[in-house]
Amino acid sequence: MADIIQLLPDNIANQIAAGEVIQRPASVVKEMMENAIDAGATEIKVIIKDAGKTLVQIIDNGKGMSPTDARMSFERHATSKIRVVEDLFSIRTMGFRGEALASIAAIARVELVTKRAEDKTATHIVIEGSEVKLQDQVQGVNGTNISVKNLFYNVPARRKFLKSDPVELKHINQEFLNIAIAHPDIKFNLHHNGNELYRLYDGNLKARLVNIFGKNYNEKIIPVAQESSDFKINGFIGKAESAKRTKGEQYFFVNNRYIKSPYLNHAVRLAYDQLILPDSHPFYVLMIDINPSRIDINVHPTKTEIKFDEERLLYNFLKVAIKQALGQYVLPELDFGSNVNFGHDKDRFNPLITQKANPTFNKEMSQLQKDNFKNWELMYKDMSNEKLDMETQPTTLESKIQYFDDASNQEVLSNRDPFQMHGRYIISQIRSGLIIIDQSAAHERIIYEKNLKLLEDKVPSIQKELFAVTVELENSKALILKDMLPYFKRYGFEIESFGGNTFIINGLPTNLELSTSLEVFIDELIDTYSDNRELQLGIEQNIARSIAVSASIRSGKILDVREMKQLINQLFACQDPYMSPSGKKCIVSIDLEEINRKFKN
Ligand code: ADP
Ligand code: MG
C-alpha cells in the first residue's frame, strides 16, 4: 500500500493556525497593536469599519520593516523577537509566537505599507489567503500601516460565527483598552465607522485612566504602590462607594500585559471585605511586575492567562497592598457619620441594630453584624421563639394571606413574620414547610414585570422630582447611552444628552430606590445593557431588563419585616415569580417532610 501521509499545504496550515490566534476582529486589533508597540511606536491609530468585519487598520510610527522583513513577516514562525530559547521565557515583548501576521494573511486580504527611517521608499505588499498578490516600493512615511480587510472571507463558517456589530465592537473596545491602559506613554486613537471613540494623550497612568473613564475618576480612585524583592505592584483602585454590581473596570497587568486572573481578583475582593456589598465589584487597574523567568505566559493561545511559580505569595502580597491603600484613604472617610460598626461594645451583640442614615451604607450589613448571627445566645433566643410559634400555630386560615403558587395548587403563607438570613435570603413559613426567597433575584423579577407593564400600557410612568444630576461617561459608554435615550421615558427616566459625553438626569421613576449613587447606577445600567446585547433582545426589552438588574436591591441589604412582606407580596403577584430575568432562581421551597426526615436517625 502506498504511503498516505502528506504535509498540509502552507495556506491550509496557516488557516488552521489562524483558528487559534484569530478568533474575531478584536484578536486582529490586539495582535497588531502589540506589534506596533514592539516596534517602538509612540503613536498608534486604530481604524475600524463595521466592527472589524470590513476593516481593521493600524497605523503606527514605529521602526518599520525592510523590504525583505516585510515579506518575511507573513511567514509562519517568522519573528524578530526570539533569537535564543531563553527568550521564550521572557515576556518583555508583546508577542513572540511569530504566528499573528501569517494567520491573519491566511484568512483576510491584507495590505501592508511599511518604511524604516533609513529607507527612501516604503514597501507595499498585498497578500490574500496567504498568497502574495503584489509587492512594490511606494512613497510613504516612517512606520507601518496595515489594513486587514474582509476577515474570514474564505472561511464562511467562521465568518458566520461572528456576533453582531455591537458585540464585536465591544470586544475590540476591550482589547484596545487592555493595551492602552498598559501604555500610558503612547498616544492612541480608536475610530469606528468615522466616529472617534477614543483620543488618548500620552501621560502617566492616572491621566490615562481619567482620559478613558472620565474626569470624575480623578476623585474616585486611590493609588496603590507596594514593592518587595519578588513583586512590585502599582496602580489604582476605586473607592469603596464607587463599586458596581457589574464587573466593569477590572484590570490586571503582569509585566505590562493584560491578564485575567480570578485568583488574584479574589485577593482584591477580599481586601475590600465588608467595605463593599457581597455582590459588588470594585474598580481596579493594577500593574504587577514579576521576574519573567517566574511566569509562563505561553500556557494559553490567546495569552491572557498566566501561571506563576509563587501564586500564593503574590495573592497575599496583593491583598495587603490593597488593604493598605484602602486603609489610608477610605477608612477615615467612612468614619464621618458612618454607620458601619467596627465593634463598639454597646452594640456588639445586637444584630438588629438600627442604623443611621448613610448614603452608601444605609441599612447594609457589616461583617460584625453578620458575625453576630453566630452568637449563641441570640440563636438560642430565636429558636425558642420559633418553637413557641410552631406550637401555637393556628389551624384556621382566616388570618393567613393567600398566594398563588401555581395555577393548580394554592400555596398558603402563614401570617408569621418572614425572617431575613445573612442579609440575603428571606425565609417564610408556608403550609407545606418553608420557602427561601433570594431578595435580589426576587426584586429583579418584580421591577422587570413592572417595566413590561409600563411598555404595554403605553402610558408614561410617573416620575419623582429630582434636582438635575449630570454624569460624565467614558466614550464608548456615552455612545451606548445615546442609543438608549429615546427609550428611557417609557420607564420613567428623564435623561438627556448634554453634549459630548455628559448627560443630565432630570427625572427617575417614582418607586426607584437606588442602593448606589445615581452615577454608579447609570454606569451599571449601561454595562448590563451592553452585555445583554449578546442575547439579541429588542432594545426595549433589554432596557426593561437592565433597569431591573441595576435597580434591584442587593444582597447584604437589611430589610425590615414590612419590606420583606411587601417584597413577597409583589413577587407572588408576578406572572413568573420563580426566575429573575437574568436567570437566577427567586424561590426555593423546602418541605416539612424533608426537614422531618433530616431529624430521623
Ligand atoms: P511576532 O510578533 O510574534 O514576532 P507577528 O506575526 O505578529 O509575530 O509579526 C512577525 C514579525 O513582523 C515581527 O516579529 C516583527 O519583526 C514584524 N512586524 C510585525 N508588525 C510590525 C510593525 N507594526 N512594525 C514593525 N515590525 C513589525
Ligand atoms: Mg506579534
Side-chain angles (χ1 to χ4, degrees):
M1 212 167 112
D3 297 331
I4 51 171
I5 296 179
Q6 287 184 3
L7 273 178
L8 287 174
D10 263 3
N11 61 336
I12 297 191
N14 283 337
Q15 265 193 29
I16 294 170
E20 228 191 44
V21 188
I22 307 298
Q23 275 128 16
R24 51 179 10 130
S27 329
V28 176
V29 172
K30 173 190 158 115
E31 293 293 339
M32 300 202 321
M33 282 179 79
E34 287 183 346
N35 281 345
I37 288 168
D38 286 343
T42 57
E43 192 169 354
I44 299 170
K45 226 185 216 163
V46 182
I47 297 165
I48 306 291
K49 278 206 186 114
D50 305 324
K53 293 170 187 171
T54 309
L55 173 75
V56 174
Q57 183 177 12
I58 314 258
I59 305 168
D60 71 54
N61 64 351
K63 67 178 182 231
M65 287 178 259
S66 71
T68 318
D69 281 351
R71 176 61 194 84
M72 272 290 282
S73 69
F74 291 105
E75 295 295 325
R76 202 133 65 94
H77 305 305
T79 175
S80 56
K81 299 163 195 172
I82 303 178
R83 301 268 172 228
V84 286
V85 171
E86 285 80 72
D87 290 348
L88 266 175
F89 299 98
S90 151
I91 56 157
R92 288 291 171 201
T93 58
M94 298 304 288
F96 50 69
R97 296 159 63 96
E99 264 175 349
L101 284 188
S103 299
I104 294 167
I107 49 167
R109 183 188 151 88
V110 180
E111 183 163 5
L112 165 77
V113 180
T114 185
K115 179 183 170 303
R116 299 182 301 177
E118 61 262 46
D119 296 333
K120 284 217 173 65
T121 54
T123 306
H124 174 219
I125 293 179
V126 176
I127 182 164
E128 211 176 297
S130 300
E131 219 176 283
V132 180
K133 297 281 179 190
L134 177 118
Q135 172 159 5
D136 57 2
Q137 295 303 117
V138 295
Q139 289 306 309
V141 292
N142 295 341
T144 301
N145 182 339
I146 302 192
S147 301
V148 175
K149 292 174 193 162
N150 302 332
L151 190 66
F152 296 129
Y153 79 98
N154 54 354
V155 199
R158 293 300 299 269
R159 190 155 172 106
K160 253 201 298 203
F161 179 74
L162 293 177
K163 297 270 169 58
S164 67
D165 282 10
V167 173
E168 292 301 339
L169 185 63
K170 196 178 143 191
H171 286 284
I172 289 175
N173 198 69
Q174 203 51 61
E175 293 293 358
F176 175 84
L177 290 185
N178 291 348
I179 292 174
I181 292 173
H183 299 276
D185 51 332
I186 298 176
K187 291 193 189 86
F188 289 97
N189 251 271
L190 176 61
H191 288 262
H192 181 245
N193 290 348
N195 295 321
E196 185 171 69
L197 301 188
Y198 294 97
R199 171 184 292 263
L200 305 178
Y201 306 99
D202 47 334
N204 59 21
L205 179 60
K206 182 158 189 189
R208 171 69 30 111
L209 296 180
V210 170
N211 199 172
I212 293 173
F213 298 113
K215 275 195 219 79
N216 48 18
Y217 273 73
N218 258 320
E219 273 77 54
K220 272 192 189 170
I221 55 180
I222 305 166
V224 179
Q226 198 78 237
E227 198 171 345
S228 77
S229 50
D230 298 314
F231 317 110
K232 192 169 144 191
I233 296 178
N234 265 302
F236 292 88
I237 57 173
K239 291 182 181 171
E241 60 269 29
S242 61
K244 293 191 297 178
R245 186 183 291 202
T246 43
K247 266 195 203 149
E249 291 75 45
Q250 302 192 322
Y251 297 87
F252 284 120
F253 298 89
V254 170
N255 297 356
N256 245 16
R257 175 191 279 276
Y258 171 80
I259 60 142
K260 282 191 198 125
S261 172
Y263 183 68
L264 295 182
N265 176 61
H266 191 263
V268 177
R269 189 60 191 73
L270 211 62
Y272 275 86
D273 199 17
Q274 77 262 45
L275 289 174
I276 58 179
L277 293 173
D279 58 358
S280 55
H281 308 277
F283 169 95
Y284 58 81
V285 170
L286 295 163
M287 310 287 178
I288 303 168
D289 274 316
I290 315 177
N291 182 341
S293 65
R294 289 181 153 175
I295 39 187
D296 180 4
I297 197 138
N298 225 0
V299 291
H300 193 270
T302 54
K303 296 178 280 178
T304 51
E305 279 150 39
I306 287 195
K307 274 199 197 132
F308 300 91
D309 282 351
E310 288 116 357
E311 260 183 337
R312 294 259 303 271
L313 265 181
L314 178 60
Y315 181 97
N316 286 323
F317 185 71
L318 183 62
K319 197 174 78 187
V320 171
I322 304 296
K323 273 200 160 161
Q324 279 192 6
L326 282 170
Q328 248 164 309
Y329 289 84
V330 173
L331 290 184
E333 270 173 44
L334 278 178
D335 268 350
F336 300 119
S338 160
N339 58 1
V340 178
N341 189 329
F342 286 104
H344 300 300
D345 284 330
K346 182 161 65 66
D347 305 324
R348 206 178 166 85
F349 294 111
N350 182 2
L352 303 174
I353 177 172
T354 34
Q355 309 210 333
K356 273 179 266 156
N358 173 287
T360 39
F361 281 85
N362 189 21
K363 285 190 178 173
E364 316 296 13
M365 198 185 213
S366 74
Q367 188 59 44
L368 186 79
Q369 281 177 280
K370 286 181 209 157
D371 292 345
N372 279 340
F373 279 100
K374 295 178 199 139
N375 184 281
W376 166 247
E377 248 182 335
L378 281 160
M379 259 177 71
Y380 178 75
K381 246 199 251 159
D382 279 358
M383 277 166 63
S384 54
N385 279 344
E386 192 50 42
K387 197 168 147 243
L388 207 96
D389 284 352
M390 270 156 65
E391 275 167 7
T392 57
Q393 189 176 345
T395 43
T396 54
L397 300 178
E398 289 103 332
S399 57
K400 294 181 176 179
I401 316 156
Q402 294 196 329
Y403 299 92
F404 289 101
D405 187 3
D406 58 56
S408 59
N409 173 29
Q410 273 188 14
E411 208 38 284
V412 179
L413 272 105
S414 80
N415 63 348
R416 220 147 295 306
D417 285 347
F419 168 78
Q420 192 185 26
M421 191 175 74
H422 293 282
R424 178 164 190 187
Y425 298 111
I426 299 168
I427 299 181
S428 181
Q429 187 177 307
I430 56 172
R431 194 167 45 183
S432 60
L434 59 88
I435 51 169
I436 307 176
I437 294 170
D438 179 321
Q439 63 188 45
S440 180
H443 198 214
E444 212 178 290
R445 164 56 60 184
I446 293 166
I447 303 177
Y448 179 60
E449 292 207 1
K450 215 176 267 167
N451 282 342
L452 290 187
K453 213 159 168 323
L454 287 175
L455 273 184
E456 266 170 36
D457 291 354
K458 307 258 182 253
V459 203
S461 83
I462 327 148
Q463 288 178 353
K464 73 177 149 203
E465 303 255 332
L466 186 78
F467 284 113
V469 177
T470 50
V471 290
E472 204 203 295
L473 293 168
E474 175 204 331
N475 236 323
S476 59
K477 291 197 177 171
L479 280 176
I480 297 174
L481 187 62
K482 273 178 199 156
D483 285 346
M484 300 165 78
L485 285 185
Y487 303 90
F488 269 129
K489 224 182 158 86
R490 185 135 293 295
Y491 307 100
F493 288 84
E494 186 94 40
I495 307 180
E496 281 171 69
S497 169
F498 194 56
N501 297 341
T502 311
F503 296 84
I504 295 195
I505 301 158
N506 288 310
L508 292 175
T510 20
N511 38 27
L512 185 78
E513 240 191 80
L514 296 181
S515 49
T516 56
S517 68
L518 191 52
E519 212 180 338
V520 171
F521 170 77
I522 294 289
D523 200 334
E524 280 183 9
L525 190 63
I526 298 168
D527 283 353
T528 315
Y529 174 83
S530 155
D531 288 345
N532 279 349
R533 287 206 288 210
E534 297 201 32
L535 306 172
Q536 315 224 300
L537 310 159
I539 292 189
E540 287 182 331
Q541 280 270 338
N542 187 346
I543 294 180
R545 233 183 209 242
S546 306
I547 292 171
V549 172
S550 315
S552 57
I553 52 169
R554 277 136 218 252
S555 300
K557 181 169 168 103
I558 303 294
L559 302 173
D560 61 31
V561 171
R562 189 190 53 82
E563 289 169 320
M564 284 190 262
K565 281 185 166 166
Q566 195 183 8
L567 190 96
I568 296 174
N569 270 318
Q570 290 176 337
L571 178 64
F572 281 95
C574 283
Q575 289 202 329
D576 179 10
Y578 293 101
M579 210 48 113
S580 83
S582 55
K584 287 179 276 181
K585 254 192 206 166
C586 301
I587 310 168
V588 167
S589 67
I590 300 175
D591 274 6
L592 203 55
E593 297 227 338
E594 209 177 320
I595 300 173
N596 288 342
R597 257 202 311 278
K598 283 198 193 292
F599 284 98
K600 286 203 183 112
N601 292 325

